[in-house]
Amino acid sequence: MKKVFYAMAIAASVFTGCSSDDDEPIVKAPVEGEISGDITSNKTFAYGNYTLKGMVKIAAGVTVTIEKGSTITADKRDGEDGLVVLKNGILIANGTADEPIVLTEQSKTAGSWAGIIMYGDAPIITTGAATSAKSEDGLNESYGGNNENHSSGSLKYVRVEYAGQVITTNNKEHNGFSFYAVGAGTVLENLVSYKGNDDGFEFYGGTVSAKNLISYGNSDDSFDWQDSWKGQANTNWFAYQTVKANYGMEVEAKGNNNAFFPKVTNITLRRATGTTTEAPGGTEIQLDAFQFKSNGNGDFSNIVIDGYVNQTTPTSVTGGAVQVLDLNTYNNQVLGGKIKLTNVKITNTPTLFISGAVTFTLNAASFLPGTNWGPTTTATGASLTAGKWATIDGVNLLANL
């Protein structure tokens, strides 16, 4: 059994700033320590500054708590680092708006570590209608269960920086936050994925919902899901794409024509001037606010889309508000009324619809019965409150909201 090693340089009980003559608040000094190995018994990490070494795994039946205001720093020179919650493990990381929990990397270089990876026991439907799959994070973990209300813990006011490590594409790659079969009993609120080298947030099936998300400066998709994820209570999602980025939302269901779909309200997808996409692969254009493929679907409302313009360099790419890649998705999901985009405000995006296949033409009339496409000038998009949780190096991430 591996062990967890804690090198505490300063005890958690050290206090300063209090005298017998006044009522000044007690200031708690941060602990200094290391988090490494497999965590096999319940543990609380007191407020402090920690070094993360290796792929740290929280075992089944174990609860790990990280106190508000803590900072956990990986170092890519040490190899692959990440924080993994295995199935039936519990992570409680509840920061506050002014005392967030920050997981970062020493060099501040995108793609330097694996971010937070969480496994639950909720259902998935993947390729060929299978109900289990192997993870694409290199851990080769099986995921997919039968408990829709399963809980993997609580993440509130947590920021992940410079993650999205890609070692082998589609076989060993990481995001800022990766949620495998995570259940609806899990709390995900006020989370930031900042300048990663892959997706900001990715859901691999499951039933969990997420509120108040910021995906800022991530190189692939801001929000991505597959394996028939069906979270129903998602709200206030903000993506700001800059320098290099692909889709605002990549929506797929591994070819399954599901009777259900996820729901997201209050969405802002913005693409900064000069942002370029990765080189297009195959038939995928990779420059749209929404892309639907492999029978991906969803109900989206109160949406702001801005800045998805055509790209001329380094390659010529047509950008748009909504892309549907394949004929099955068009027939089953668009014409079937299972893609709903209502109360949509679109600016600085000349092309509204893009057909990924020549066998159909996507337009407003496609969204039958006619109530599933709703352009407007009054949509407000995401509503988020500023604070230290959304401020990095003095920059307010919500300035472009």
Side-chain angles (χ1 to χ4, degrees):
M1 180 183 296
K2 296 182 181 177
K3 64 181 181 178
V4 183
F5 174 70
Y6 309 99
M8 301 300 186
I10 302 177
S13 60
V14 175
F15 298 92
T16 62
C18 181
S19 72
S20 60
D21 298 323
D22 55 45
D23 294 322
E24 292 181 4
I26 295 173
V27 178
K28 188 176 181 180
V31 167
E32 302 287 337
E34 179 183 294
I35 304 175
S36 60
D38 293 344
I39 304 179
T40 56
S41 60
N42 294 346
K43 176 66 183 178
T44 295
F45 292 95
Y47 159 65
N49 300 313
Y50 297 92
T51 299
L52 180 69
K53 289 193 175 181
M55 295 295 286
V56 175
K57 299 176 183 177
I58 300 172
V62 173
T63 297
V64 169
T65 301
I66 302 172
E67 291 190 347
K68 65 182 181 180
S70 295
T71 298
I72 299 171
T73 305
D75 186 346
K76 66 177 183 178
R77 296 174 299 181
D78 296 331
E80 191 177 7
D81 299 323
L83 182 58
V84 183
V85 185
L86 295 176
K87 180 179 174 180
N88 294 321
I90 297 287
L91 174 61
I92 307 296
N94 292 335
T96 68
D98 287 327
E99 294 180 280
I101 295 169
V102 178
L103 295 93
T104 189
E105 196 277 328
Q106 184 172 325
S107 72
K108 297 187 176 183
T109 303
S112 293
W113 69 294
I116 293 178
I117 303 170
M118 182 174 281
Y119 290 89
D121 191 36
I124 73 167
I125 306 174
T126 188
T127 305
T131 55
S132 65
K134 293 287 187 179
S135 62
E136 63 178 41
D137 52 13
L139 300 178
N140 204 34
E141 291 283 338
S142 294
Y143 66 99
N146 54 21
N147 184 356
E148 290 202 351
N149 293 316
H150 185 265
S151 176
S152 297
S154 176
L155 306 180
K156 295 182 179 181
Y157 293 102
V158 176
R159 189 168 72 235
V160 168
E161 304 173 354
Y162 312 110
Q165 186 176 34
V166 177
I167 298 171
T168 306
T169 301
N170 296 326
N171 185 41
K172 192 173 184 180
E173 59 183 38
H174 304 292
N175 307 293
F177 293 85
S178 301
F179 300 115
Y180 286 91
V182 175
T186 307
V187 176
L188 304 177
E189 295 180 2
N190 296 91
L191 308 180
V192 179
S193 181
Y194 179 78
K195 290 192 176 180
N197 192 47
D198 209 285
D199 301 329
F201 297 86
E202 184 154 5
F203 299 86
Y204 300 84
T207 54
V208 70
S209 294
K211 300 177 180 180
N212 307 331
L213 303 187
I214 301 172
S215 183
Y216 192 103
N218 293 293
S219 294
D220 196 353
D221 310 312
S222 298
F223 304 100
D224 191 352
W225 60 87
Q226 55 182 286
D227 297 323
S228 307
W229 171 66
K230 58 175 179 179
Q232 296 293 294
N234 305 280
T235 190
N236 292 323
W237 287 17
F238 169 46
Y240 188 68
Q241 298 181 295
T242 183
V243 184
K244 183 178 73 172
N246 295 330
Y247 303 115
M249 288 191 183
E250 185 177 36
V251 182
E252 67 166 297
K254 290 292 181 69
N256 295 289
N257 183 15
N258 298 311
F260 56 81
F261 40 70
K263 297 179 181 180
V264 189
T265 63
N266 307 332
I267 303 163
T268 298
L269 305 175
R270 294 195 188 277
R271 192 172 179 92
T273 302
T275 302
T276 59
T277 184
E278 295 178 328
T283 59
E284 295 200 49
I285 297 171
Q286 296 190 341
L287 198 174
D288 302 288
F290 285 86
Q291 190 232 31
F292 297 91
K293 66 180 179 181
S294 297
N295 276 321
N297 59 18
D299 183 345
F300 311 92
S301 60
N302 191 25
I303 307 161
V304 170
I305 294 171
D306 180 77
Y308 288 82
V309 300
N310 296 344
Q311 173 182 305
T312 56
T313 59
T315 56
S316 179
V317 178
T318 301
V322 181
Q323 179 200 142
V324 174
L325 181 64
D326 56 273
L327 182 60
N328 281 340
T329 303
Y330 178 76
N331 286 336
N332 296 331
Q333 310 307 321
V334 179
L335 299 186
K338 290 184 285 188
I339 294 178
K340 303 178 181 182
L341 297 151
T342 56
N343 196 20
V344 187
K345 179 181 178 180
I346 302 173
T347 54
N348 303 315
T349 304
T351 304
L352 295 185
F353 301 106
I354 294 178
S355 304
V358 296
T359 51
F360 64 91
T361 299
L362 184 70
N363 54 37
S366 303
F367 290 86
L368 302 177
T371 59
N372 292 343
W373 170 254
T376 183
T377 60
T378 60
T380 56
S383 177
L384 297 163
T385 302
K388 290 183 179 178
W389 76 286
T391 303
I392 300 179
D393 297 330
V395 176
N396 175 16
L397 303 186
L398 301 180
N400 293 296
L401 181 59

